[in-house]
Amino acid sequence: MAKKRMLAAHTSARTSERCQSSPANRQHSSAKPGETASRSRWLWTAMRVVALVAAATTAYIARDSPRVLGLTSSASPPERQQSQNVGFMAQVLQKSKGQNICKPEGVISDTYSDFDFAESFRHKVAAPLDKLIRTKFFRTLKVDLYRPCHFWRTEGSCFQRDCIVTPLDDDDVPASWQMQTVDHTNFGPFLGSFPRQRPEHTDKDFAVVNDETFGDGIWVDLIENPERFTGYAGAGANAVWMSIYQHNCFGVPPYLQDTAGGWGSQLVNVDGKSMPFVQPPRRRRELVSFLESLSEEERGVTMPADVPLEYRMFYRIVSGLHASISTHICSDYFNATADRWEPNLSCFISRIGAFPDRLQNIYFNFLLLTRAIQRMEPYLLSYDYSTGIPKDDKAVKRLMPKMLRAVKRAGFVFDDSELFLGSSGAAMKGEFKDNFRNISRIMDCTGCEKCRLWGKTQTLGIATALKALFSYPDRAFRGSFTSLDFKRNEIVALITTYFQFSYSIKSIEMFRGMYQDFVTDWRASQA
């Protein structure tokens, strides 16, 4: 507890050093009543009138305060609360060269880090990580993309060129990864002729884990099949995300409109030809009102204060994954008019910029993955990354320790010891696992092959981090590692997902710079 208080105090001090008190917080002292009886009577009459007006206003606000999905209204007036949230995103977009770095909430909720530290740390880990995921070991993965959807009748698959996944030839995959060793303990009782079906997960797994050496699936090169805009949208995409939010997040998610399912364009429909997102304003003073016009949240609605930390974390993981995917789509967007791939600032602002919680949850997931990799450090250092390709094997031996050293230097960013405690901890962890496994199954309902590939891969990556944090004691990652059970595809998914969130934060910084250039160019044109 002492360590937590010191860290919280240190983070609070760093935040307060950057932030100056708002003029709105300054209070003016009241003038003393006059000495004459006449002035005293007038003063008390005025005070009574003010009190009556204040009481009537309070009653009116209390009567009309929103109550959506069991959420309660915030203590602050709705307009002010919304302005603060949107103001946070406005400052994120306007942050440049040390300016506008005073965020309304500098600390990333439920962590021991702030946004500035997370961004500076990401720069240190990015160099080895970016090279690591391009090696043969980490870019090659076996994924079952053709498992049927068991939850609803799907509308069919997306057959657009950018939706299709290009598989690898068997000759491009090391033979040791493909070898299907016969395990006699898994044969049934009838003459030993039919092997029993392997379980799709163990009690320690937070997702469906397909063993690459058994079962169905295709081998893919993740670098050759990047996560980007594919044109997949509509009812199918919405059904996947709305099912996850409404039925698997323990009732925690805040207000969501139908269009929030796929986080598509707001205000303008997608026609596949013209720019599908609204343009941000060129005048900075118009940015806040612009973001407010896009926001889908009910004003004044906040998450209930009594939501358990575990359930709140679950929602933040899902929201952060969704936001990260949307950021990748916007950063690698196909401009049909110019016939090229390019970052789309309007897409980013419409999908992420109007929603500060979505952006914050990207950073939250990055720190959660950082903590998991910190715990797994000894195991990851000793893991066998052999591919039979000397150049790649040598690169991994050089890059993995370098990345792990950078991750270790990040220090204490997330406290996993605070979760799943008490008499209800075990039961809550069981629910947590069941729901996250369910999300990994829902990814089979995605109609776009490439979206399904990345949805399943990143879900498995986060599930691997959760498995490392909550399925094994810390001592299991020291010594001989005999109690650990991590498949090769789990290790690949973990490091790949870590890169994906690192890339999302890099993209956020890029979009921030794009907005600066957007405003600067407009000012120059006006001059």
Side-chain angles (χ1 to χ4, degrees):
M1 289 298 295
K3 178 172 67 173
K4 296 177 188 174
R5 286 195 295 268
M6 290 174 62
L7 287 165
H10 174 66
T11 307
S12 176
R14 286 198 294 175
T15 304
S16 62
E17 287 175 1
R18 295 197 307 267
C19 301
Q20 296 181 354
S21 61
S22 169
N25 293 330
R26 303 191 189 112
Q27 298 181 354
H28 300 279
S29 59
S30 302
K32 293 182 179 181
E35 307 238 332
T36 63
S38 176
R39 291 181 61 188
S40 178
R41 285 195 299 272
W42 277 108
L43 178 61
W44 282 109
T45 300
M47 290 176 65
R48 290 190 187 98
V49 171
V50 170
L52 288 171
V53 171
T57 303
T58 302
Y60 179 80
I61 292 174
R63 184 195 68 183
D64 288 343
S65 57
R67 303 208 176 264
V68 183
L69 295 177
L71 305 181
T72 57
S73 60
S74 62
S76 303
E79 285 288 343
R80 182 168 180 76
Q81 180 66 33
Q82 182 66 26
S83 296
Q84 287 178 347
N85 288 338
V86 171
F88 166 80
M89 281 307 309
Q91 289 175 352
V92 167
L93 288 171
Q94 294 175 0
K95 178 181 173 183
S96 175
K97 298 179 180 178
Q99 303 299 315
N100 299 312
I101 63 172
C102 178
K103 304 179 180 70
E105 294 181 1
V107 179
I108 302 169
S109 300
D110 301 324
T111 76
Y112 289 90
S113 175
D114 60 26
F115 291 89
D116 289 332
F117 174 79
E119 289 188 1
S120 63
F121 158 66
R122 189 210 70 82
H123 283 277
K124 297 174 183 177
V125 78
L129 181 60
D130 293 0
K131 295 176 182 177
L132 195 62
I133 59 101
R134 296 182 179 277
T135 60
K136 185 69 174 179
F137 185 91
F138 287 104
R139 68 190 293 167
T140 308
L141 186 66
K142 185 179 180 181
V143 185
D144 187 356
L145 295 180
Y146 307 111
R147 290 167 61 100
C149 175
H150 294 292
F151 299 95
W152 60 82
R153 183 186 294 274
T154 58
E155 61 180 10
S157 299
C158 167
F159 292 105
Q160 298 183 59
R161 179 186 60 185
D162 297 311
C163 285
I164 306 302
V165 169
T166 303
L168 277 172
D169 293 332
D170 289 344
D171 295 340
D172 295 326
V173 181
S176 59
W177 298 353
Q178 303 181 63
M179 189 181 301
Q180 297 193 14
T181 304
V182 177
D183 185 352
H184 293 283
T185 62
N186 279 306
F187 276 69
F190 301 105
L191 304 178
S193 56
F194 298 102
R196 294 194 298 267
Q197 184 177 4
R198 284 174 170 260
E200 61 180 8
H201 61 80
T202 69
D203 62 344
K204 294 185 181 300
D205 295 327
F206 282 74
V208 173
V209 181
N210 296 315
D211 189 340
E212 291 179 319
T213 60
F214 292 88
D216 298 326
I218 62 171
W219 290 93
V220 298
D221 186 322
L222 295 173
I223 300 299
E224 295 298 326
N225 294 276
E227 185 175 39
R228 62 187 354 177
F229 172 77
T230 65
Y232 177 65
N238 283 348
V240 170
W241 286 110
M242 293 305 287
S243 175
I244 291 173
Y245 283 123
Q246 292 179 345
H247 304 299
N248 293 276
C249 286
F250 303 101
V252 173
Y255 179 73
L256 291 170
Q257 289 184 352
D258 291 340
T259 56
W263 288 357
S265 59
Q266 283 83 9
L267 306 184
V268 179
N269 292 326
V270 177
D271 61 11
K273 296 180 180 179
S274 63
M275 179 69 71
F277 301 101
V278 292
Q279 286 282 358
R282 291 182 170 88
R283 297 182 180 179
R284 288 186 180 180
R285 64 174 178 269
E286 298 174 355
L287 182 60
V288 171
S289 61
F290 171 80
L291 294 175
E292 286 180 340
S293 72
L294 291 180
S295 179
E296 294 168 340
E297 298 172 348
E298 285 285 328
R299 295 179 183 275
V301 175
T302 60
M303 189 179 291
D306 59 348
V307 173
L309 175 59
E310 292 83 357
Y311 293 167
R312 189 165 70 241
M313 181 182 74
F314 191 100
Y315 170 72
R316 300 193 70 185
I317 288 172
V318 173
S319 172
L321 173 61
H322 194 179
S324 179
I325 290 172
S326 293
T327 302
H328 298 158
I329 290 172
C330 296
S331 64
D332 205 2
Y333 196 91
F334 184 69
N335 185 338
T337 303
D339 194 29
R340 65 171 179 262
W341 296 91
E342 61 186 16
N344 188 324
L345 176 63
S346 299
C347 170
F348 173 77
I349 291 180
S350 296
R351 291 190 177 205
I352 309 298
F355 309 92
D357 62 309
R358 297 178 183 177
L359 178 133
Q360 184 166 173
N361 291 338
I362 292 175
Y363 289 78
F364 175 84
N365 277 12
F366 180 67
L367 296 175
L368 177 77
L369 290 161
T370 297
R371 172 60 187 141
I373 293 173
Q374 286 176 338
R375 171 173 277 205
M376 295 178 70
E377 179 199 8
Y379 179 72
L380 293 174
L381 276 174
S382 64
Y383 196 87
D384 182 9
Y385 299 102
S386 301
T387 63
I389 304 173
K391 181 181 178 181
D392 279 57
D393 294 348
K394 188 179 297 184
V396 174
K397 286 183 179 180
R398 183 184 78 256
L399 293 168
M400 179 59 75
K402 189 175 181 180
M403 186 204 73
L404 292 174
R405 283 195 298 270
V407 169
K408 188 175 182 178
R409 292 193 191 105
F412 193 70
V413 295
F414 178 81
D415 190 357
D416 48 285
S417 66
E418 295 180 338
L419 293 107
F420 304 115
L421 302 176
S423 57
S424 62
M428 190 177 292
K429 186 188 294 185
E431 288 183 294
F432 198 104
K433 288 180 180 177
D434 289 341
N435 282 27
F436 209 80
R437 289 171 189 153
N438 216 35
I439 291 175
S440 69
R441 296 185 185 99
I442 291 175
M443 292 300 172
D444 290 320
C445 301
T446 306
C448 164
E449 277 189 12
K450 197 167 289 183
C451 305
R452 195 181 315 146
L453 165 65
W454 283 103
K456 290 168 74 74
T457 298
Q458 292 174 95
T459 302
L460 179 59
I462 294 173
T464 304
L466 296 173
K467 180 178 176 179
L469 292 174
F470 304 115
S471 289
Y472 295 103
D474 194 46
R475 64 179 180 275
F477 293 96
R478 307 190 190 99
S480 59
F481 315 118
T482 53
S483 64
L484 299 181
D485 179 24
F486 289 94
K487 305 292 189 295
R488 194 198 79 91
N489 59 336
E490 291 179 276
I491 302 300
V492 173
L494 173 67
I495 301 302
T496 298
T497 304
Y498 194 45
F499 168 79
Q500 292 294 93
F501 278 94
S502 171
Y503 181 71
S504 289
I505 296 176
K506 178 182 178 181
S507 297
I508 291 167
E509 295 179 64
M510 174 192 68
F511 284 121
R512 182 186 302 149
M514 287 181 65
Y515 184 71
Q516 298 294 324
D517 295 340
F518 182 77
V519 173
T520 301
D521 291 345
W522 178 78
R523 284 177 174 173
S525 68
Q526 297 301 300

